[in-house]
Amino acid sequence: MKIMKWVPLFMTLILYGMFVCSSNAAFKPVDSYLLACGSSHNVTFQGQTYIPDLEHSSVKLSSQANSLVATTNSSAPFPIYQSARVFTRSVSYEFDIKQKGHHWVRLYFYPISSAGHDLKSASLTVVTENFVLLNNFTFENFKGSYMWKEFAINVDSNSLSLTFIPSNNSIAFVNAIEVVSIPDDLIPDQALFLPSTSISGISELALETVYRVNMGGPLLTAQNDTLGRMWQNDVQYLHVNSSATNVSVSPSTIKYPATVTPEIAPNWVYATAETMGDPNVANSNFNMTWVFNVDPDFTYFIRVHFCDVVSQSLNSLVFNLYINSDVWASVDLSSLTGGLDVPYYKDFAANSSDSGVLTISVGPDPVADDSSGIMNGLEIIKMSNEARSLDGVSPVEHLLPPSASKKKHTAIIIGSSVGAVAAVMMIALFFCCFVSHKSKTPQQGHSWLPLPLYGNSLTLTKMSTVSQKSGTASCISLTSTNLGRFFSFQDIMEATNKFDETMLLGVGGFGRVYKGTLEDGTNVAVKRGNPRSEQGIAEFRTEIEMLSKLRHRHLVSLIGYCDERSEMILVYEYMANGPLRSHLYGADLPSLSWKQRLEICIGAARGLHYLHTGATQSIIHRDVKTTNILLDENFVAKVADFGLSKTGPSLDQTHVSTAVKGSFGYLDPEYFRRQQLTEKSDVYSFGVVLMEVLCTRPALNPVLPREQVNIAEWAMTWQKKGMLDQIMDSNLVGKVNSASLKKFGETAEKCLAEYGVDRPSMGDVLWNLEYALQLEEMSSALAEPEDNSTNHIQGLPLTSLEQFDNSVNMMNGANSGTDDDAEDATTSAVFSQLVNPRGR
Ligand SMILES: *[C@@H]1O[C@H](CO)[C@@H](O)[C@H](O)[C@H]1NC(C)=O
Ligand SMILES: *[C@@H]1O[C@H](CO)[C@@H](O)[C@H](O)[C@H]1NC(C)=O
Ligand SMILES: *[C@@H]1O[C@H](CO)[C@@H](O)[C@H](O)[C@H]1NC(C)=O
Ligand SMILES: *[C@@H]1O[C@H](CO)[C@@H](O)[C@H](O)[C@H]1NC(C)=O
Ligand SMILES: *[C@@H]1O[C@H](CO)[C@@H](O)[C@H](O)[C@H]1NC(C)=O
Ligand SMILES: *[C@@H]1O[C@H](CO)[C@@H](O)[C@H](O)[C@H]1NC(C)=O
Ligand SMILES: *[C@@H]1O[C@H](CO)[C@@H](O)[C@H](O)[C@H]1NC(C)=O
Ligand SMILES: *[C@@H]1O[C@H](CO)[C@@H](O)[C@H](O)[C@H]1NC(C)=O
Ligand SMILES: *[C@@H]1O[C@H](CO)[C@@H](O)[C@H](O)[C@H]1NC(C)=O
């Protein structure tokens, strides 16, 4: 019987739900009360008309006239604050609710000066039937002159009451009230509680908006938002304001998908954003951080709005979102939305940090290129606590005066039991909608889920058999054992002067890198892993495994490691001149000559060629970029950072299937699409490096006009026109042999071919770069005949060099030795044979 009774309601809910889910029309609130309290005439504010509170036919006031005093003063900051209703005892406004569900309750307070009352010291307590909205608030200790509050209340009966309770011998007041329906799908029931849980039941709680921010955009008011919300600009909350740069596009370019409506947020929110500021700095590894003061005794619902309005191509924007110190990692908007300019939002729940603030940051994803990150909008909403309060720990029953609370009590019990059934059904309905919505959007991989950090699976056991007692002076030579020296944590502390921040060389995805000095005076680079990063452990392992197998003049050598005290520390040879990137841009270092650039590219290409062909099984680096090419004191280039390396396909395979990793801006589009890794993915990334070396700008620069953001695309359009010289580094203009530049451009173009099969092997690339260098040296030799270093090519006719071009494939797999010195010797022998005319 009981069930039967509810069937009609259930049916209505379902029908209603279907209607809402399928309707695309602009939202029209069913219930909409705008009251100018204490006013005798209509008040227009932000394009809306507020009606005097006593004149509204569907609003009842539960009190005798003598407890209701109207007061006005026209010198208020806004028209809405010019009048107030003053209560000398508890008074309720009763609103007829035609449509159950969430409603905004917005309250306006301004203690206007009036003859009879001291509103500044008035104590304000406001409750609904079930929830405490304000408890004993007074303007006496308040910084602002007026206050505006927005709540969202789930109304499950035919009326909503708002009760204003003055404290003993005091008064209460209010200037204006709004009660307006909210679309059903605006407030979800669940949200992700980072790092790894979620909370549910949100739709049953009372919510209070504490911050609603339009990142990088203008103030939006009720006139600009179909739900009458206000969105502030974010600059006042930015921790370091230069860390962010505002961007905007025309709001009409925003393409709402089926899952996001303008009610979620207006297009003005999605059309403006903050992106990572000044991406040209050498260490662009920083976060944009916003800091919000919050009441630490509450849990907050946080909705973050994203829309990629900066990228030129899909999948070029990947970043991490942090809430306090918890990360939602590798946010790739393109894969979440399937397009650019498509809005996306994500709901979280979080507590404040210990210091009573919520910090929200967006920063580079360690596996992506350094400079990306975006945020378009942010809402921080307080959720009611166990006492069903948004202010303090007293429940409604304790605040209502004794007489009123008795009468209300029965009403609450009836109301809530009726409500509970309806709520369960609503939740079920919500859940269905939620699940069906979710299943349409690709699921974000929960790669951040914590895994056992130092489990037995870590394959370091082999290394620890060669562990040395700390302090032994002898450094195990890599050449003899191919295994690194084991350092004690104490050794590392001494070498780096206790991780002195002044010795910091850089910060990477894996952790921080310090300069250190061993007891024998050798300079080393000490890379200290971030133990929180699961990716870090995998990379740590890979890097030790890879580097212990590899030795080459153009690969950075591992000297040893330390895994004591849950530390993951790698010790490398020190590369005095740091990453190639800082010699290209961002660090004010002297500009490299064309010849130096070619030699560096050749060195790096040698290192990669060795990786691909030198070892028994080929190795794919997977993260080739200018920050991973390091220069020693003689500007000899060495490839570093094997954290993402994978052994390549074995003979019977053509590729390795793997999750896409690497740095955005350098990522092979074919690898990205098909998730099949071959050596040609490194070749593509190397092509990006070549363009970067020529143009001295980052692979991705989101602040540039769209067509220029991605260097691979931008440079290719110019290369195809044969006009690469138009966008090359201005320091090189007029100082580069045009044949050399042409060869270089063609080589980069081939590397950047859409399909791997069309790209040259690293051996071909190496040879072509050698050739470009010869062309350059030849031209400078002709210009300065005295230059001994280039004497041997003097007078070499161009045609014979062109012939070598056809023999390019000879380099392919030319050698497969594992001894680096022998390898190097062979390589140079082959080269001198090919290049030196006298050798032929
Ligand atoms: C006040 O506004 C309401 C609704 O917009 C309207 O019906 C009413 O006529 C207005 N009253 C006056 C005095 O303008
Ligand atoms: C109106 O407010 C102003 C300041 O806010 C005050 O100086 C003035 O006395 C008030 N007028 C009345 C009639 O209370
Ligand atoms: C209300 O606040 C006032 C001053 O802020 C304080 O003196 C008073 O004790 C408070 N009352 C309650 C019931 O908390
Ligand atoms: C009001 O006074 C009564 C008795 O005098 C006291 O029990 C109650 O706590 C007071 N309430 C507030 C809000 O101060
Ligand atoms: C965007 O940044 C510029 C320069 O910093 C500033 O002048 C402008 O007011 C900002 N726009 C918004 C909407 O914050
Ligand atoms: C918001 O609406 C007001 C009034 O229509 C208008 O003047 C203002 O330009 C709008 N702001 C934006 C950002 O559209
Ligand atoms: C950063 O913000 C402060 C205060 O809001 C302002 O004085 C300063 O000019 C801002 N700096 C930049 C670079 O916008
Ligand atoms: C960004 O902020 C998070 C959280 O505070 C922190 O863990 C991370 O290291 C920061 N990233 C950078 C590059 O500073
Ligand atoms: C968050 O804060 C609430 C209220 O203070 C507390 O009950 C809850 O346990 C906290 N959750 C976490 C994960 O700290």
Side-chain angles (χ1 to χ4, degrees), residues 193 296-299 350-351:
F193 200 120
D297 297 331
F298 288 84
T299 300
N351 284 350

Side-chain angles (χ1 to χ4, degrees), residues 85-240:
R85 179 70 61 194
V86 180
F87 313 103
T88 53
R89 42 166 289 183
S90 278
V91 172
S92 299
Y93 284 84
E94 302 273 350
F95 297 84
D96 281 352
I97 297 299
K98 296 194 205 71
Q99 182 186 300
K100 291 172 183 148
H102 281 98
H103 287 70
W104 298 124
V105 172
R106 297 190 178 110
L107 304 175
Y108 296 77
F109 300 99
Y110 171 64
I112 50 184
S113 312
S114 68
H117 307 282
D118 177 14
L119 298 189
K120 246 189 133 83
S121 65
S123 155
L124 301 170
T125 298
V126 185
V127 302
T128 69
E129 288 95 336
N130 301 321
F131 293 102
V132 178
L133 306 185
L134 272 180
N135 182 4
N136 196 24
F137 171 84
T138 156
F139 273 93
E140 264 170 344
N141 330 313
F142 186 68
K143 287 191 213 84
S145 66
Y146 55 91
M147 180 170 79
W148 177 80
K149 289 269 182 190
E150 180 183 273
F151 304 94
I153 309 289
N154 197 354
V155 182
D156 49 25
S157 66
N158 296 321
S159 73
L160 169 72
S161 82
L162 283 180
T163 307
F164 292 80
I165 308 168
S167 62
N168 290 352
N169 306 319
S170 179
I171 51 172
F173 72 94
V174 65
N175 302 74
I177 303 175
E178 291 175 33
V179 174
V180 182
S181 304
I182 301 178
D184 265 3
D185 44 8
L186 189 73
I187 296 169
D189 195 54
Q190 283 191 322
L192 190 57
F193 200 120
L194 293 174
S196 57
T197 51
S198 71
I199 63 164
S200 55
I202 295 168
S203 62
E204 287 173 282
L205 304 175
L207 306 173
E208 176 188 343
T209 310
V210 269
Y211 298 98
R212 185 178 286 128
V213 186
N214 179 16
M215 301 294 168
L219 172 72
L220 302 179
T221 66
Q223 281 151 297
N224 319 98
D225 182 309
T226 48
L227 299 188
R229 290 166 297 197
M230 192 178 80
W231 302 77
Q232 292 175 279
N233 178 261
D234 64 298
V235 169
Q236 61 177 303
Y237 304 111
L238 264 177
H239 189 50
V240 177

Side-chain angles (χ1 to χ4, degrees), residues 779-791 794:
S779 72
S780 54
L782 289 173
E784 310 156 67
E786 291 84 359
D787 187 349
N788 285 334
S789 66
T790 51
N791 269 353
Q794 215 169 353

Side-chain angles (χ1 to χ4, degrees), residues 253-477:
T253 59
I254 301 304
K255 296 177 269 208
Y256 283 99
T259 47
V260 185
T261 62
E263 277 72 51
I264 297 293
N267 55 10
W268 266 105
V269 171
Y270 291 115
T272 61
E274 296 282 13
T275 56
M276 304 295 290
D278 192 17
N280 283 325
V281 297
N283 180 5
S284 57
N285 228 320
F286 58 92
N287 289 331
M288 288 188 274
T289 300
W290 293 267
V291 180
F292 299 91
N293 290 318
V294 293
D295 182 338
D297 297 331
F298 288 84
T299 300
Y300 293 83
F301 172 78
I302 297 170
R303 174 166 287 177
V304 194
H305 299 269
F306 297 110
C307 185
D308 185 351
V309 293
V310 294
S311 294
Q312 195 196 14
S313 58
L314 290 179
N315 304 106
S316 49
L317 182 61
V318 177
F319 54 88
N320 283 352
L321 171 76
Y322 301 91
I323 295 179
N324 296 326
S325 54
D326 295 310
V327 63
W328 188 49
S330 300
V331 186
D332 177 359
L333 292 181
S334 306
S335 67
L336 293 168
T337 62
L340 301 177
D341 301 323
V342 178
Y344 179 80
Y345 68 93
K346 178 83 182 173
D347 296 331
F348 299 94
N351 284 350
S352 75
S353 63
D354 296 338
S355 46
V357 294
L358 268 173
T359 49
I360 314 282
S361 308
V362 163
D365 178 14
V367 301
D369 188 44
D370 309 345
S371 55
S372 49
I374 195 169
M375 194 188 292
N376 303 62
L378 177 68
E379 294 173 85
I380 298 181
I381 292 171
K382 193 197 259 184
M383 300 194 284
S384 57
N385 59 17
E386 303 233 298
R388 312 199 116 210
S389 171
L390 285 162
D391 190 1
V393 292
S394 308
V396 172
E397 300 81 74
H398 294 183
L399 296 172
L400 285 172
S403 58
S405 90
K406 230 180 243 158
K407 218 168 52 199
K408 287 267 180 261
H409 221 73
T410 48
I412 289 165
I413 291 165
I414 295 167
S416 54
S417 62
V418 169
V421 178
V424 167
M425 292 180 174
M426 293 290 275
I427 291 163
L429 197 65
F430 244 108
F431 191 71
C432 295
C433 277
F434 195 76
V435 167
S436 69
H437 274 204
K438 284 287 122 152
S439 57
K440 280 181 221 146
T441 54
Q443 201 61 43
Q444 173 74 28
H446 287 206
S447 52
W448 38 262
L449 279 177
L451 290 176
L453 288 195
Y454 292 94
N456 299 330
S457 60
L458 195 61
T459 53
L460 284 176
T461 38
K462 199 172 80 188
M463 321 253 163
S464 48
T465 58
V466 297
S467 296
Q468 294 284 300
K469 276 231 171 73
S470 68
T472 40
S474 67
C475 170
I476 298 182
S477 144

Side-chain angles (χ1 to χ4, degrees), residues 526-765:
V526 176
K527 190 160 156 188
R528 186 184 195 188
N530 169 8
R532 287 177 57 102
S533 133
E534 181 238 326
Q535 181 197 335
I537 289 171
E539 288 185 16
F540 183 64
R541 190 190 310 162
T542 317
E543 187 130 8
I544 294 182
E545 283 174 357
M546 290 285 172
L547 282 174
S548 60
K549 283 190 235 149
L550 301 168
R551 278 278 292 156
H552 190 271
R553 201 165 94 85
H554 294 287
L555 300 181
V556 171
S557 336
L558 181 72
I559 293 175
Y561 67 93
C562 165
D563 66 345
E564 236 176 57
R565 294 207 219 162
S566 306
E567 292 280 348
M568 299 185 293
I569 294 169
L570 296 171
V571 181
Y572 298 91
E573 66 174 310
Y574 176 65
M575 299 293 285
N577 276 309
L580 169 58
R581 182 184 169 120
S582 23
H583 295 270
L584 296 176
Y585 47 83
D588 275 339
L589 293 172
S591 171
L592 296 171
S593 72
W594 182 237
K595 187 163 172 263
Q596 277 178 308
R597 294 183 203 207
L598 286 171
E599 281 168 346
I600 289 166
C601 292
I602 288 167
R606 279 225 171 101
L608 289 172
H609 177 56
Y610 169 73
L611 278 182
H612 290 177
T613 61
T616 31
Q617 199 178 2
S618 89
I619 291 160
I620 303 169
H621 186 285
R622 286 218 289 178
D623 202 13
V624 176
K625 53 179 175 179
T626 45
T627 42
N628 283 344
I629 297 172
L630 304 181
L631 305 175
D632 74 3
E633 65 280 10
N634 300 317
F635 284 88
V636 171
K638 303 196 182 198
V639 178
D641 221 332
F642 300 88
L644 294 180
S645 303
K646 267 257 188 301
T647 45
S650 52
L651 287 176
D652 53 338
Q653 290 174 308
T654 58
H655 64 264
V656 182
S657 286
T658 164
V660 174
K661 284 197 173 151
S663 293
F664 286 81
Y666 295 91
L667 203 55
D668 167 12
E670 190 179 39
Y671 168 41
F672 195 88
R673 277 193 307 270
R674 302 173 54 200
Q675 317 222 333
Q676 294 177 347
L677 188 67
T678 69
E679 290 91 344
K680 297 296 181 69
S681 306
D682 282 351
V683 174
Y684 181 91
S685 309
F686 191 71
V688 177
V689 167
L690 294 180
M691 290 302 193
E692 220 179 316
V693 164
L694 180 67
C695 305
T696 50
R697 51 149 286 186
L700 283 182
N701 187 347
V703 303
L704 290 174
R706 277 194 167 207
E707 68 278 9
Q708 303 184 23
V709 167
N710 187 331
I711 195 174
E713 290 171 25
W714 177 237
M716 280 293 264
T717 58
W718 290 91
Q719 164 63 21
K720 286 192 174 127
K721 288 187 272 186
M723 293 163 72
L724 213 46
D725 54 333
Q726 299 292 305
I727 57 163
M728 71 188 217
D729 184 2
S730 54
N731 289 313
L732 293 177
V733 171
K735 297 178 194 156
V736 178
N737 169 273
S738 59
S740 173
L741 176 63
K742 184 161 176 274
K743 185 86 247 169
F744 187 89
E746 285 166 6
T747 309
E749 181 181 4
K750 283 184 202 142
C751 291
L752 293 172
E754 184 73 14
Y755 299 102
V757 290
D758 302 329
R759 292 177 208 144
S761 71
M762 230 34 240
D764 294 350
V765 174

